[in-house]
Amino acid sequence: MEGVILVTGAAGFIGFHLVQRLLKDGCDVVGIDNLNEYYDIQLKKDRLKLLNENNNFAFHKVDIKEKKAVDHIFETYRPTYVINLAAQAGVRYSIENPYAYVDSNLVGFVNILEACRRYPVKHLIYASSSSVYGGNKVSPFSTGHNVDHPVSLYAATKKANELLAHTYSHLFGIPTTGLRFFTVYGPWGRPDMAYFSFTKDILSGKPIKVFNHGKMERDFTYIDDIVDGIVKLIDKIPMPNKNWDETKDGISTSFAPYKIYNIGNNNPVPLMNFINALESVLGKVAKKVYLDMQPGDVLKTYADISDLERDINFKPSTSIEEGLRKFVDWYKEYYKAEV
Ligand SMILES: NC(=O)c1ccc[n+]([C@@H]2O[C@H](COP(=O)([O-])OP(=O)(O)OC[C@H]3O[C@@H](n4cnc5c(N)ncnc54)[C@H](O)[C@@H]3O)[C@@H](O)[C@H]2O)c1
């Protein structure tokens, strides 16, 4: 890949792994992140410390909701590619903290789009989410399905990102690809996600909270598989289809240079099987407290990834057992935890 790649949210879980991989591939990467305190900021700083060891990486503490600061980064580096991962993540947090989502996911995203308009880029890839499928019942979830029934503000902001991206692709010819991630897990992961807090609680003998009495399924996707997909997509620049017809071509493409993909494992795992796998890797049985479904949650996620298979030969290859083993190995090493 020629030119600078700008990664927003570079100190985050997916951003960190993506930047590591891009640097390994010899790319020039600029990372920005506001290092907010949504979860342990030390973890973000430690990720950055590793990235900063590479001279091809430049980091700037920037909040994407600040237009001037975003423009300054684009003016200085003139990125060829932009990968926008900075966002306020988390479904449950959005019920109590709506404006964190408005600031980062709506205002921040418009600032990125406006900067791409002013300083043209070859390709803008941005994070959407499986949560856009909201109350949909038909699975596997397909990008051909309607996603007009979000059940959390987080999901609504991600769906809004896709709409905003389409408008900018159409009006200003900015090629955009939106990625609907499905429950990404792995080393250096997010402490607010269940697999992380389960590990912490099981190791310290505290009971884990099992929502909806365990009757949930998630299409858990290992981080290396996700990063592989993103990297392959960088040069897969969506083309406008002048003869676009939604009845034949589907709603994930357009007359504009716009594309939406699911990026998941295509293999939903019942929550209890996931917990069993984690117990087996940890060699310890969890104490469990069974609770009702939480507001904003969905029962099942399951990605139809046929577009991604067709376009970039995407084949996630990490089993839950292998992925959890790698996560637990990292966790024990990082937190010096005893099993
Ligand atoms: N991890 C998953 O399972 C998952 C699933 C679906 C979608 N996503 C999306 O993928 C992206 C990356 O997720 P992640 O798991 O790495 O989350 P993360 O929280 O670890 O990473 C996001 C990073 O963005 C930064 N950030 C937040 N708001 C910012 C702002 N206004 N300006 C600058 N930086 C800001 C945070 O400090 C954080 O380091 C997010 O957009 C998220 O919504 C993730």
Side-chain angles (χ1 to χ4, degrees):
M1 258 91 62
E2 291 292 307
V4 167
I5 304 177
L6 172 65
V7 178
T8 76
F13 168 44
I14 300 175
F16 161 72
H17 283 280
L18 174 66
V19 173
Q20 257 196 338
R21 164 70 189 274
L22 291 171
L23 292 172
K24 201 167 143 245
D25 291 353
C27 302
D28 282 329
V29 185
V30 175
I32 60 174
D33 199 296
N34 68 353
L35 298 175
N36 69 48
E37 295 185 357
Y38 169 60
Y39 63 74
D40 182 17
I41 194 167
Q42 193 54 47
L43 186 57
K44 296 183 184 182
K45 287 183 176 163
D46 288 341
R47 292 178 185 136
L48 273 183
K49 206 169 140 198
L50 284 181
L51 298 181
N52 279 325
E53 287 171 6
N54 191 308
N55 290 336
N56 292 341
F57 179 65
F59 177 75
H60 296 269
K61 186 167 185 270
V62 165
D63 193 318
I64 59 165
K65 77 166 193 267
E66 306 296 340
K67 179 172 164 37
K68 267 197 183 149
V70 171
D71 284 350
H72 184 66
I73 291 289
F74 276 73
E75 168 74 38
T76 309
Y77 291 101
R78 305 281 175 145
T80 307
Y81 304 94
V82 176
I83 303 172
N84 185 60
L85 300 172
Q88 180 57 57
V91 167
R92 291 160 196 161
Y93 189 75
S94 68
I95 293 169
E96 300 304 328
N97 301 278
Y99 287 97
Y101 294 77
V102 173
D103 289 346
S104 296
N105 305 9
L106 298 178
V107 177
F109 190 62
V110 171
N111 287 339
I112 295 293
L113 288 169
E114 275 293 318
C116 290
R117 172 185 175 188
R118 237 176 111 190
Y119 305 94
V121 300
K122 265 194 182 165
H123 194 184
L124 165 65
I125 296 178
Y126 62 95
S128 181
S129 164
S130 62
S131 65
V132 298
Y133 291 103
N136 286 15
K137 298 272 191 297
V138 178
S139 75
F141 294 153
S142 157
T143 52
H145 294 167
N146 168 299
V147 288
D148 283 337
H149 298 83
V151 294
S152 68
L153 180 68
Y154 171 66
T157 64
K158 289 295 180 180
K159 159 81 178 171
N161 286 172
E162 297 177 358
L163 295 171
L164 292 164
H166 186 270
T167 312
Y168 275 69
S169 293
H170 166 58
L171 290 175
F172 310 113
I174 304 169
T176 64
T177 298
L179 300 180
R180 294 178 181 165
F181 293 116
F182 282 68
T183 319
V184 190
Y185 74 102
W188 295 96
R190 264 170 46 196
D192 62 316
M193 290 181 72
Y195 70 94
F196 202 114
S197 56
F198 283 175
T199 301
K200 187 172 178 214
D201 291 342
I202 295 172
L203 287 174
S204 62
K206 272 182 32 194
I208 62 169
K209 290 180 185 159
V210 182
F211 290 105
N212 203 34
H213 305 269
K215 286 185 219 105
M216 282 202 265
E217 287 179 57
R218 288 289 178 274
D219 202 352
F220 293 99
T221 317
Y222 189 65
I223 183 67
D224 292 358
D225 291 325
I226 290 282
V227 167
D228 216 49
I230 302 175
V231 170
K232 283 185 180 153
L233 281 167
I234 294 176
D235 267 333
K236 186 88 200 152
I237 297 169
M239 302 297 285
N241 176 359
K242 296 265 178 308
N243 303 315
W244 182 76
D245 170 347
E246 77 268 32
T247 59
K248 288 200 225 101
D249 302 308
I251 56 175
S252 67
T253 60
S254 170
F255 48 84
Y258 164 93
K259 177 71 184 153
I260 298 289
Y261 289 106
N262 282 338
I263 181 161
N265 205 39
N266 187 233
N267 181 23
V269 177
L271 182 56
M272 296 317 292
N273 294 16
F274 185 81
I275 293 172
N276 289 342
L278 185 59
E279 288 174 329
S280 130
V281 170
L282 289 168
K284 218 168 159 183
V285 175
K287 293 177 195 152
K288 302 173 189 82
V289 182
Y290 293 94
L291 299 168
D292 290 339
M293 182 91 162
Q294 297 211 107
D297 250 352
V298 297
L299 280 176
K300 176 175 179 173
T301 64
Y302 179 7
D304 173 338
I305 53 170
S306 43
D307 277 13
L308 217 46
E309 275 174 293
R310 183 197 59 217
D311 291 352
I312 58 163
N313 196 23
F314 181 68
K315 285 198 182 8
S317 61
T318 315
S319 69
I320 282 287
E321 290 72 21
E322 190 188 344
L324 282 176
R325 162 66 59 200
K326 287 183 177 161
F327 168 71
V328 167
D329 285 350
W330 167 80
Y331 185 97
K332 281 158 54 184
E333 167 76 24
Y334 184 74
Y335 290 105
K336 309 279 174 257
E338 295 295 328
V339 178

Short mmCIF file of all heavy atoms in Angstrom, two decimals, residues 196-206 208 278 281-286 327-328 331-332 335-339:
data_model
loop_
_atom_site.label_atom_id
_atom_site.label_comp_id
_atom_site.label_asym_id
_atom_site.label_seq_id
_atom_site.Cartn_x
_atom_site.Cartn_y
_atom_site.Cartn_z
N PHE A 196 -13.86 -11.10 28.79
CA PHE A 196 -12.77 -10.51 29.58
C PHE A 196 -13.15 -10.52 31.06
O PHE A 196 -12.38 -11.00 31.92
CB PHE A 196 -12.55 -9.07 29.09
CG PHE A 196 -11.20 -8.50 29.40
CD1 PHE A 196 -10.31 -8.19 28.38
CD2 PHE A 196 -10.82 -8.24 30.70
CE1 PHE A 196 -9.06 -7.64 28.65
CE2 PHE A 196 -9.57 -7.68 30.99
CZ PHE A 196 -8.71 -7.39 29.95
N SER A 197 -14.35 -10.03 31.37
CA SER A 197 -14.76 -9.98 32.79
C SER A 197 -15.01 -11.39 33.33
O SER A 197 -14.75 -11.67 34.50
CB SER A 197 -15.98 -9.08 32.98
OG SER A 197 -17.02 -9.52 32.16
N PHE A 198 -15.46 -12.31 32.46
CA PHE A 198 -15.63 -13.71 32.91
C PHE A 198 -14.28 -14.26 33.35
O PHE A 198 -14.16 -14.90 34.39
CB PHE A 198 -16.15 -14.59 31.76
CG PHE A 198 -17.62 -14.44 31.46
CD1 PHE A 198 -18.19 -15.12 30.36
CD2 PHE A 198 -18.46 -13.66 32.24
CE1 PHE A 198 -19.54 -15.00 30.06
CE2 PHE A 198 -19.82 -13.53 31.95
CZ PHE A 198 -20.35 -14.21 30.85
N THR A 199 -13.26 -14.01 32.54
CA THR A 199 -11.93 -14.54 32.85
C THR A 199 -11.45 -13.99 34.19
O THR A 199 -10.98 -14.74 35.07
CB THR A 199 -10.94 -14.15 31.72
OG1 THR A 199 -11.43 -14.70 30.51
CG2 THR A 199 -9.53 -14.67 32.00
N LYS A 200 -11.62 -12.68 34.34
CA LYS A 200 -11.19 -12.03 35.59
C LYS A 200 -11.93 -12.64 36.79
O LYS A 200 -11.31 -12.99 37.81
CB LYS A 200 -11.50 -10.53 35.47
CG LYS A 200 -10.99 -9.70 36.58
CD LYS A 200 -11.19 -8.24 36.25
CE LYS A 200 -10.70 -7.40 37.41
NZ LYS A 200 -11.49 -6.20 37.60
N ASP A 201 -13.24 -12.78 36.67
CA ASP A 201 -14.04 -13.26 37.79
C ASP A 201 -13.79 -14.74 38.08
O ASP A 201 -13.73 -15.15 39.24
CB ASP A 201 -15.54 -13.01 37.53
CG ASP A 201 -15.86 -11.52 37.58
OD1 ASP A 201 -15.04 -10.75 38.13
OD2 ASP A 201 -16.91 -11.12 37.05
N ILE A 202 -13.66 -15.54 37.03
CA ILE A 202 -13.42 -16.98 37.26
C ILE A 202 -12.09 -17.15 37.99
O ILE A 202 -11.98 -17.90 38.96
CB ILE A 202 -13.44 -17.78 35.93
CG1 ILE A 202 -14.84 -17.75 35.31
CG2 ILE A 202 -13.00 -19.23 36.17
CD1 ILE A 202 -14.93 -18.34 33.89
N LEU A 203 -11.08 -16.40 37.56
CA LEU A 203 -9.76 -16.54 38.19
C LEU A 203 -9.78 -16.10 39.65
O LEU A 203 -9.09 -16.68 40.49
CB LEU A 203 -8.70 -15.73 37.42
CG LEU A 203 -8.28 -16.31 36.08
CD1 LEU A 203 -7.34 -15.38 35.34
CD2 LEU A 203 -7.61 -17.67 36.26
N SER A 204 -10.59 -15.08 39.96
CA SER A 204 -10.59 -14.61 41.35
C SER A 204 -11.71 -15.27 42.19
O SER A 204 -11.95 -14.87 43.33
CB SER A 204 -10.71 -13.08 41.39
OG SER A 204 -11.93 -12.72 40.80
N GLY A 205 -12.40 -16.23 41.59
CA GLY A 205 -13.41 -16.99 42.34
C GLY A 205 -14.73 -16.24 42.52
O GLY A 205 -15.60 -16.67 43.27
N LYS A 206 -14.88 -15.12 41.80
CA LYS A 206 -16.14 -14.36 41.90
C LYS A 206 -17.17 -14.94 40.92
O LYS A 206 -16.80 -15.40 39.83
CB LYS A 206 -15.89 -12.89 41.53
CG LYS A 206 -15.47 -12.11 42.75
CD LYS A 206 -15.24 -10.63 42.56
CE LYS A 206 -15.99 -9.83 41.58
NZ LYS A 206 -15.39 -8.51 41.33
N ILE A 208 -19.83 -15.23 37.94
CA ILE A 208 -20.03 -14.49 36.68
C ILE A 208 -21.52 -14.29 36.45
O ILE A 208 -22.34 -15.12 36.86
CB ILE A 208 -19.38 -15.22 35.47
CG1 ILE A 208 -20.02 -16.60 35.23
CG2 ILE A 208 -17.88 -15.36 35.66
CD1 ILE A 208 -19.61 -17.23 33.91
N LEU A 278 -14.23 -21.60 27.98
CA LEU A 278 -13.37 -20.74 28.80
C LEU A 278 -12.98 -21.46 30.10
O LEU A 278 -11.81 -21.43 30.51
CB LEU A 278 -14.10 -19.42 29.10
CG LEU A 278 -13.32 -18.36 29.85
CD1 LEU A 278 -12.04 -17.96 29.09
CD2 LEU A 278 -14.18 -17.10 30.07
N VAL A 281 -10.27 -23.95 29.27
CA VAL A 281 -8.95 -23.32 29.06
C VAL A 281 -8.36 -22.88 30.41
O VAL A 281 -7.16 -23.02 30.67
CB VAL A 281 -9.07 -22.12 28.09
CG1 VAL A 281 -7.78 -21.32 28.07
CG2 VAL A 281 -9.40 -22.59 26.70
N LEU A 282 -9.23 -22.35 31.29
CA LEU A 282 -8.75 -21.86 32.59
C LEU A 282 -8.54 -23.00 33.59
O LEU A 282 -7.88 -22.82 34.62
CB LEU A 282 -9.76 -20.86 33.18
CG LEU A 282 -9.85 -19.50 32.49
CD1 LEU A 282 -11.05 -18.72 32.98
CD2 LEU A 282 -8.58 -18.68 32.72
N GLY A 283 -9.12 -24.16 33.29
CA GLY A 283 -9.04 -25.30 34.22
C GLY A 283 -9.79 -25.02 35.52
O GLY A 283 -9.42 -25.51 36.60
N LYS A 284 -10.86 -24.25 35.44
CA LYS A 284 -11.60 -23.84 36.63
C LYS A 284 -13.07 -23.66 36.28
O LYS A 284 -13.39 -23.08 35.23
CB LYS A 284 -11.02 -22.50 37.10
CG LYS A 284 -10.94 -22.36 38.59
CD LYS A 284 -10.11 -21.15 38.96
CE LYS A 284 -10.47 -20.74 40.38
NZ LYS A 284 -9.79 -19.55 40.82
N VAL A 285 -13.94 -24.16 37.16
CA VAL A 285 -15.37 -24.03 36.88
C VAL A 285 -15.88 -22.70 37.46
O VAL A 285 -15.53 -22.32 38.58
CB VAL A 285 -16.15 -25.23 37.49
CG1 VAL A 285 -17.66 -25.04 37.32
CG2 VAL A 285 -15.70 -26.52 36.83
N ALA A 286 -16.71 -22.02 36.65
CA ALA A 286 -17.22 -20.70 37.08
C ALA A 286 -18.40 -20.86 38.03
O ALA A 286 -19.24 -21.75 37.85
CB ALA A 286 -17.68 -19.92 35.85
N PHE A 327 -6.10 -15.81 24.22
CA PHE A 327 -6.51 -14.70 25.09
C PHE A 327 -6.06 -14.94 26.52
O PHE A 327 -5.47 -14.06 27.16
CB PHE A 327 -8.04 -14.51 25.04
CG PHE A 327 -8.51 -13.58 26.13
CD1 PHE A 327 -8.23 -12.22 26.07
CD2 PHE A 327 -9.18 -14.07 27.25
CE1 PHE A 327 -8.61 -11.36 27.10
CE2 PHE A 327 -9.56 -13.22 28.28
CZ PHE A 327 -9.29 -11.86 28.21
N VAL A 328 -6.31 -16.14 27.02
CA VAL A 328 -5.99 -16.45 28.43
C VAL A 328 -4.47 -16.40 28.65
O VAL A 328 -4.00 -15.90 29.68
CB VAL A 328 -6.60 -17.81 28.85
CG1 VAL A 328 -6.03 -18.29 30.17
CG2 VAL A 328 -8.12 -17.69 28.94
N TYR A 331 -3.68 -12.84 28.95
CA TYR A 331 -4.25 -12.27 30.18
C TYR A 331 -3.36 -12.61 31.38
O TYR A 331 -3.05 -11.74 32.20
CB TYR A 331 -5.67 -12.82 30.38
CG TYR A 331 -6.39 -12.22 31.56
CD1 TYR A 331 -7.28 -11.16 31.39
CD2 TYR A 331 -6.18 -12.69 32.86
CE1 TYR A 331 -7.93 -10.58 32.47
CE2 TYR A 331 -6.82 -12.11 33.94
CZ TYR A 331 -7.69 -11.06 33.74
OH TYR A 331 -8.33 -10.50 34.82
N LYS A 332 -2.96 -13.88 31.43
CA LYS A 332 -2.13 -14.32 32.58
C LYS A 332 -0.79 -13.60 32.59
O LYS A 332 -0.29 -13.20 33.63
CB LYS A 332 -1.93 -15.84 32.51
CG LYS A 332 -3.15 -16.59 33.02
CD LYS A 332 -3.27 -18.01 32.53
CE LYS A 332 -2.06 -18.89 32.77
NZ LYS A 332 -2.25 -20.22 32.17
N TYR A 335 -1.51 -9.59 33.31
CA TYR A 335 -1.94 -9.28 34.68
C TYR A 335 -1.20 -10.10 35.74
O TYR A 335 -1.54 -10.04 36.91
CB TYR A 335 -3.45 -9.47 34.82
CG TYR A 335 -4.25 -8.43 34.06
CD1 TYR A 335 -4.88 -8.75 32.86
CD2 TYR A 335 -4.35 -7.12 34.52
CE1 TYR A 335 -5.59 -7.80 32.15
CE2 TYR A 335 -5.06 -6.16 33.82
CZ TYR A 335 -5.68 -6.50 32.64
OH TYR A 335 -6.38 -5.55 31.94
N LYS A 336 -0.23 -10.87 35.29
CA LYS A 336 0.52 -11.76 36.19
C LYS A 336 -0.44 -12.57 37.05
O LYS A 336 -0.28 -12.70 38.27
CB LYS A 336 1.48 -10.95 37.11
CG LYS A 336 2.40 -9.98 36.38
CD LYS A 336 3.61 -10.69 35.80
CE LYS A 336 4.47 -9.78 34.94
NZ LYS A 336 4.36 -9.94 33.50
N ALA A 337 -1.51 -13.05 36.39
CA ALA A 337 -2.56 -13.77 37.12
C ALA A 337 -2.21 -15.24 37.26
O ALA A 337 -1.63 -15.84 36.35
CB ALA A 337 -3.87 -13.62 36.39
N GLU A 338 -2.54 -15.82 38.38
CA GLU A 338 -2.33 -17.25 38.62
C GLU A 338 -3.61 -17.99 38.28
O GLU A 338 -4.70 -17.51 38.54
CB GLU A 338 -2.00 -17.49 40.08
CG GLU A 338 -0.69 -16.89 40.55
CD GLU A 338 0.52 -17.51 39.86
OE1 GLU A 338 0.45 -18.69 39.55
OE2 GLU A 338 1.51 -16.79 39.63
N VAL A 339 -3.47 -19.15 37.70
CA VAL A 339 -4.66 -19.98 37.50
C VAL A 339 -4.71 -21.04 38.58
O VAL A 339 -3.69 -21.63 38.89
CB VAL A 339 -4.63 -20.65 36.11
CG1 VAL A 339 -5.85 -21.54 35.93
CG2 VAL A 339 -4.64 -19.58 35.04
#
